Every structure is written in structure tokens, then in C-alpha cells.
Amino acid sequence: MRKITLIIIISFFVLCCVDKEKNAENKIVSFKKSDTITVNSNTTAVFKWTTDLCENIGTYNPKKYSEEELKNTYDLWFTFSGIALETNSNAHYVEDIEKLNIYKLMSEYMEKKSLYNRKIVATSFWNKIKAEKLQELEDEYQLRKITIEAYSNPLVLLNNKYTEYCSEYANVLSGNDTIQLLKSWYKLIEQEKSKNGSPEKFMERFHEKYYSKDRLIYAKIELMTYGWWNCGNSKIKRVNNDGTLEREFNRLFIDVKTECDEP
């Protein structure tokens, strides 16, 4: 009887010890899980980008925005800076007119516009910049489209958002008065000559065109390019790239390290 009682007591003691060891293991596992969560909450990520002469590495909080959002915001600031469209809309020589392609322009416009559907860092500042960039793209597309169309149908110059600012060129280019056309051309040439580094050679090129059989075509080409186009282009509101965009982009990061080459 004593042996049986002793065996029961020993068995109970062993079971108690095993349970305590299991509980201790569970506490250790639980502690390790908690420690991992703490580490994850402090995790940062890095994003790399380039500017004209510099390589940049920024540390950021991935809970605030993703790498894709940063990439798209960088493109909005840096990659898409400068002119919005590259399809040529002006001719410099008679043979260039037939090379102007409105369908190529439309295709580029749709492609560029689709880029603005990408998700960016959604702060009020960057949303505003995105809207302004889209408007800039739209305005430049309309001006290029009108300019290309005007080579075959100059009446399109008379009824668009640029007409009131550039009416001098719109009227003479859409009219049939060749004398007024030549006078406007000469007036424009005199204005351009004053800004040219070699005015004598500039006037030589003008006289070659003026006394050629295609002088009326050259008059229209130069009034379109240096008159109408330059006037309309000056009315497009461009997003100011005075360094503000770069500073705002850098503010998205906890820390930024920059290495630059000598200019």
C-alpha cells in the first residue's frame, strides 16, 4: 500500500514539473513573438534615386508610403520635368511640313496622360503638383495639335484659348493678304535679329528664303514657329521647378544621404 501511494506521489510530482516546463517554454515563445513585433514596428526601408549630378539614398517609414508611391512621386517631380511632349509640331524647312504627324502627337499624349494614373504619395502638396502637371500636359497638347492642324487649315488659329493672346499671328496666318504676311514676317525677323549672336548671318539666311520661290511658305513657317508657337507656349503655366519640389521630396524621408560628382 505504501509503495502504491509513493508511486502516485512521484507521478504527480513529475507531471507538475512537465507542465511547469511547458508553461515556461510557452512564455519564452510568447516573449520572442512580442520581441519580433517590436522590431517590425521600428523597421525602415531605403529608396534610391538620382538627380543631375547626385546619387541619393533616403530612409523612410514603409508604413507611411510604399516604394512604388515614392518612385511615382519621383517621376512626377524629376522624370517628367521639362517639356511635357516631344512630338514635333513645327517645321523649319518646306520639306518638314509633311513630316508633322498629328496621330503621333495624339499617341504620345495618351501615353503620357496614362502615367498620371499611377499612385503617388497622397499629400496635399503632391496632389496639387499632379493636378498642375496634368493641366500643363493638356495645354501643351492643345497648342501642338492646333499648330500642326494650322499648316493645312490655318482657320483653327482663330478660335482657341491662345487666340486672344496671339491674335496678331493668328489673323495674318489665317488671312489671304500676302503683303501683310510678308510685312509681319519682316517685323518678326527684325525682333529675332536683335536677339541673335550673329545678326549678319541671320539676315543672310532670311534673304535667301525671302528671294526664293517658296518665300510665302517660309513666311508662314517662321511666323508659325517663332511667332504663333512662341507666343502660345509663353502662355502655358509651367510647374515651377525652383528647388521646391526637390525639398518637398526629401521631406518624405527620415534621413537622406547624397553623393555628388563635381560639375
Side-chain angles (χ1 to χ4, degrees):
M1 186 66 178
R2 287 182 179 178
K3 288 182 180 180
I4 294 172
T5 303
L6 183 60
I7 291 170
I8 291 172
I9 291 171
I10 292 171
S11 299
F12 179 77
F13 179 75
V14 170
L15 287 172
C16 287
C17 291
V18 169
D19 287 340
K20 286 181 181 180
E21 288 178 2
K22 285 183 177 180
N23 288 335
E25 287 178 2
N26 288 336
K27 286 182 181 178
I28 292 171
V29 171
S30 178
F31 174 76
K32 286 182 179 178
K33 288 179 180 177
S34 175
D35 187 51
T36 303
I37 290 171
T38 302
V39 171
N40 284 340
S41 67
N42 292 327
T43 296
T44 57
V46 296
F47 179 78
K48 299 179 181 179
W49 71 97
T50 60
T51 49
D52 291 331
L53 295 172
C54 302
E55 297 289 332
N56 307 275
I57 301 176
T59 304
Y60 69 98
N61 182 352
K63 289 188 175 182
K64 286 187 175 182
Y65 19 76
S66 67
E67 181 179 2
E68 181 184 7
E69 289 170 332
L70 287 171
K71 171 65 168 60
N72 295 338
T73 305
Y74 163 73
D75 285 341
L76 184 67
W77 151 49
F78 191 78
T79 310
F80 300 162
S81 62
I83 60 173
L85 296 165
E86 297 178 355
T87 301
N88 191 22
S89 58
N90 283 292
H92 295 284
Y93 299 97
V94 176
E95 57 270 24
D96 292 340
I97 296 176
E98 63 182 18
K99 298 176 184 177
L100 300 176
N101 190 330
I102 199 167
Y103 298 105
K104 181 181 178 182
L105 173 67
M106 293 169 67
S107 177
E108 185 194 5
Y109 165 69
M110 295 303 295
E111 181 184 352
K112 292 285 179 66
K113 190 173 182 179
S114 68
L115 296 175
Y116 290 94
N117 293 328
R118 301 188 304 178
K119 193 174 181 182
I120 63 168
V121 174
T123 64
S124 58
F125 176 83
W126 289 110
N127 284 335
K128 177 174 175 289
I129 294 299
K130 181 178 179 179
E132 291 176 354
K133 286 271 193 177
L134 267 170
Q135 188 60 55
E136 181 183 328
L137 175 68
E138 181 67 29
D139 291 345
E140 187 170 315
Y141 167 68
Q142 290 299 330
L143 179 60
R144 287 182 183 272
K145 181 173 178 287
I146 292 164
T147 303
I148 292 175
E149 290 175 341
Y151 280 94
S152 58
N153 178 23
L155 292 178
V156 299
L157 298 172
L158 295 176
N159 188 24
N160 59 76
K161 66 185 294 182
Y162 303 101
T163 303
E164 63 174 306
Y165 305 109
C166 312
S167 58
E168 176 185 355
Y169 304 110
N171 290 331
V172 73
L173 284 164
S174 62
N176 297 315
D177 190 337
T178 56
I179 293 176
Q180 188 58 46
L181 179 74
L182 293 174
K183 284 183 178 179
S184 295
W185 182 25
Y186 187 78
K187 178 183 174 182
L188 177 66
I189 288 297
E190 285 292 316
Q191 293 172 354
E192 293 295 311
K193 181 182 74 171
S194 64
K195 298 180 285 186
N196 193 277
S198 181
E200 291 183 0
K201 289 186 177 180
F202 180 78
M203 290 305 293
E204 282 180 16
R205 291 192 295 270
F206 164 68
H207 287 130
E208 285 177 9
K209 295 174 183 177
Y210 187 84
Y211 292 111
S212 75
K213 63 182 179 63
D214 294 319
R215 69 174 182 171
L216 292 180
I217 298 176
Y218 278 119
K220 290 181 179 180
I221 286 174
E222 299 209 347
L223 282 168
M224 283 286 292
T225 302
Y226 303 109
W228 164 262
W229 170 262
N230 284 353
C231 175
N233 192 44
S234 70
K235 303 304 176 185
I236 296 177
K237 185 179 180 181
R238 304 287 181 181
V239 176
N240 192 356
N241 197 7
D242 59 355
T244 302
L245 299 185
E246 183 172 11
R247 287 193 296 272
E248 288 294 326
F249 187 75
N250 287 346
R251 286 179 60 187
L252 298 174
F253 298 90
I254 301 166
D255 178 64
V256 175
K257 291 183 173 63
T258 301
E259 290 186 8
C260 299
D261 296 329
E262 290 295 329

